């Protein structure tokens, strides 16, 4: 089924437990984290906004993000990090936490649980991202404080009881772009922006452009030409070899690279565009299908980030879905989401609950 009017709801994925490993960046030759981080930091010489297309729950990508947080050459050029994985209604709580205050864990996790995305942000990589930003401030790593700005609409699920009510909050790209304008550009700041891959592209498949809402990248570039650079992930070694990118990790400025790269088909590295819920190994998973008619890479992206074969996903223990109130509330929300855009996440939740009960019985 098509993704709804831009990817407003993140897709659920296979139900697999994975321990999130955060690996350190360290100096080295070409293909080292240090070289890629230095190249990304230099982008701020040209643009105050650097938008990363995130692969949801990617342990590999978030390990690299942790390296960016630790490296003063990059993170000390950032004033604000604007993230998709946070409900703006909880900005005061996150501000306090990132500044170093003691914040109750249950209060903090509302920031990522209370969005229109039912499962993705429960991954441990997102809590780790917030914690890493807090450490930048606690360690006084930079001469100025870092702020994490929540880029998802201030959704209040307690007041949403229908598809119509949810639809009123559905333009997540517009909200994110307006947040960047208000919280970053209007203050003369520099911003590291993190949003899902399909929010971060400058152009969409030709067959979809006539009816699909503008992406975050399109909105910001259209209103503020030249202020944004967008970076999209290269998902596989095969794609990196086809594009002659070199060893991972590597960042490539598309417009400084040989012209052949900018002319190459973005379909070689594009994320899935349509999804179908299928059974695989006894679990419901979203089977992603590519769009056939993406524009060239140089039209879609300013930079490419290759971190290796992107396979590992970090999932939380399914036991969190056994908490009665949370499970009941998720079921209510899932029913509203299904009525709104046709995506039914209930089989995924049922599978998580079964997995959690099986784990509990095994113990």
């Amino acid at each position: 089924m098509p993704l709804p009017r831009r990817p407003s709801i993140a897709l659920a994925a296979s139900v697999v437990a994975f321990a999130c490993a955060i690996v350190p960046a360290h100096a080295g030759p070409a293909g080292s984290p240090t070289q890629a981080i230095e190249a990304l930091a230099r982008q701020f010489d040209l643009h105050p906004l650097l938008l990363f297309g995130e692969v949801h729950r990617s342990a590999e990508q978030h390990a690299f993000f942790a390296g960016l947080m630790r490296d003063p050459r990059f993170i000390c050029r950032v004033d604000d990090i604007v993230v998709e994985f946070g409900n703006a209604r909880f900005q005061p709580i996150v501000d306090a936490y990132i500044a170093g205050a003691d914040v109750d864990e249950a209060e903090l996790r509302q920031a990522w649980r209370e969005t229109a995305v039912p499962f993705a942000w429960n991954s441990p990589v997102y809590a780790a991202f917030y914690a890493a930003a807090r450490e930048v401030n606690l360690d006084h790593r930079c001469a100025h404080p870092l702020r994490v700005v929540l880029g998802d609409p201030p959704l209040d699920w307690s007041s949403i009881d229908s598809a119509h009510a949810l639809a009123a909050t559905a333009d997540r790209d517009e909200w994110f772009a307006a947040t960047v304008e208000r919280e970053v550009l209007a203050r003369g700041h520099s911003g590291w922006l993190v949003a899902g891959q399909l929010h971060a592209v400058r152009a969409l498949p030709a067959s979809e452009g006539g009816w699909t809402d503008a992406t975050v990248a399109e909105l910001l570039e259209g209103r503020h030409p030249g202020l944004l650079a967008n970076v999209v992930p290269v998902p596989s070694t095969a794609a990196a070899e086809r594009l002659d990118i070199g060893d991972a990790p590597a960042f490539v400025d598309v417009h400084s690279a040989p012209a052949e790269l900018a002319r190459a088909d973005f379909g070689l590295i594009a994320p899935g565009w349509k999804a179908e819920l299928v059974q695989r190994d006894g679990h419901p998973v979203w089977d992603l299908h590519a769009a056939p008619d993406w524009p060239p890479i140089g039209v879609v992206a300013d930079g490419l980030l290759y971190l290796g074969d992107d396979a590992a996903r970090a999932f939380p223990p399914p036991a969190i879905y056994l908490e009665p109130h949370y499970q009941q509330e998720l079921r209510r929300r899932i029913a509203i989401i299904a009525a709104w855009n046709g995506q039914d996440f209930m089989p995924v939740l049922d599978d998580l609950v079964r997995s959690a009960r099986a784990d509990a019985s095994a113990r």
Side-chain angles (χ1 to χ4, degrees):
M1 68 181 69
L3 289 169
R5 286 180 56 79
R6 293 283 310 119
S8 297
I9 303 295
L11 297 175
S14 58
V15 181
V16 179
F18 186 85
C20 173
I22 301 298
V23 297
H26 46 78
S32 74
T34 290
Q35 186 179 67
I37 290 170
E38 287 176 346
L40 285 162
R42 286 195 295 271
Q43 289 295 307
F44 286 115
D45 293 331
L46 305 172
H47 318 275
L49 302 176
L50 189 57
L51 170 60
F52 282 68
E54 189 228 9
V55 180
H56 294 333
R57 295 180 281 204
S58 168
E60 187 171 53
Q61 194 177 44
H62 276 267
F64 184 77
F65 288 168
L68 294 178
M69 295 275 200
R70 285 191 298 271
D71 198 314
R73 287 166 298 182
F74 180 88
I75 200 60
C76 293
R77 304 196 69 174
V78 174
D79 295 301
D80 308 296
I81 310 175
V82 186
V83 298
E84 178 190 4
F85 42 89
N87 180 331
R89 191 160 63 92
F90 301 97
Q91 187 67 58
I93 294 173
V94 170
D95 280 344
Y97 176 73
I98 299 300
D102 291 333
V103 173
D104 181 76
E105 182 181 345
E107 283 190 67
L108 180 64
R109 67 174 176 242
Q110 291 178 99
W112 55 83
R113 279 195 178 183
E114 296 299 312
T115 70
V117 180
F119 299 110
W121 316 142
N122 280 329
S123 168
V125 299
Y126 300 105
F129 188 100
Y130 285 91
R134 172 184 166 93
E135 286 299 317
V136 172
N137 288 332
L138 288 175
D139 293 347
H140 302 288
R141 203 163 296 164
C142 305
H144 63 275
L146 182 69
R147 188 179 184 217
V148 173
V149 178
L150 307 182
D152 227 34
L155 191 66
D156 183 356
W157 271 108
S158 68
S159 66
I160 294 175
D161 58 3
S162 68
H164 176 75
L166 179 59
T169 69
D171 196 347
R172 298 172 65 231
D173 290 81
E174 174 58 44
W175 178 271
F176 192 107
T179 299
V180 172
E181 291 173 318
R182 181 183 67 252
E183 301 292 336
V184 184
L185 292 179
R187 301 182 183 197
H189 286 185
S190 61
W192 170 18
L193 320 179
V194 183
Q197 298 173 83
L198 288 174
H199 300 288
V201 293
R202 286 185 183 273
L204 295 165
S207 60
E208 307 294 349
W211 60 272
T212 304
D213 295 341
T215 68
V216 169
E218 288 177 304
L219 290 166
L220 288 172
E221 178 62 24
R223 297 172 189 169
H224 309 280
L227 297 190
L228 175 78
N230 69 324
V231 180
V232 300
V234 175
S236 68
T237 300
E241 291 176 350
R242 181 91 174 265
L243 297 172
D244 195 25
I245 287 176
D247 295 333
F251 169 73
V252 180
D253 185 324
V254 172
H255 306 298
S256 299
E260 291 79 9
L261 180 63
R263 292 196 294 264
D265 179 12
F266 185 74
L268 292 170
I269 58 173
W273 181 255
K274 297 186 178 182
E276 177 185 8
L277 193 62
V278 300
Q279 288 287 323
R280 186 172 300 139
D281 297 326
H283 297 287
V285 297
W286 290 101
D287 194 9
L288 302 179
H289 304 284
D293 50 3
W294 282 92
I297 287 175
V299 174
V300 179
D302 297 311
L304 305 181
L305 182 62
Y306 170 52
L307 300 176
D309 280 312
D310 184 38
R313 297 290 181 270
F315 293 88
I320 67 173
Y321 302 104
L322 292 182
E323 196 280 311
H325 175 74
Y326 184 46
Q327 184 187 144
Q328 181 181 9
E329 175 61 12
L330 272 178
R331 292 189 183 280
R332 187 185 73 85
R333 296 178 190 181
I334 287 169
I336 293 171
I337 291 169
W340 172 51
N341 69 5
Q343 286 185 302
D344 184 7
F345 293 89
M346 203 69 77
V348 177
L349 179 57
D350 289 339
D351 191 66
L352 286 163
V353 170
R354 282 194 298 271
S355 296
R357 287 173 176 163
D359 288 348
S361 297
R363 289 195 297 270

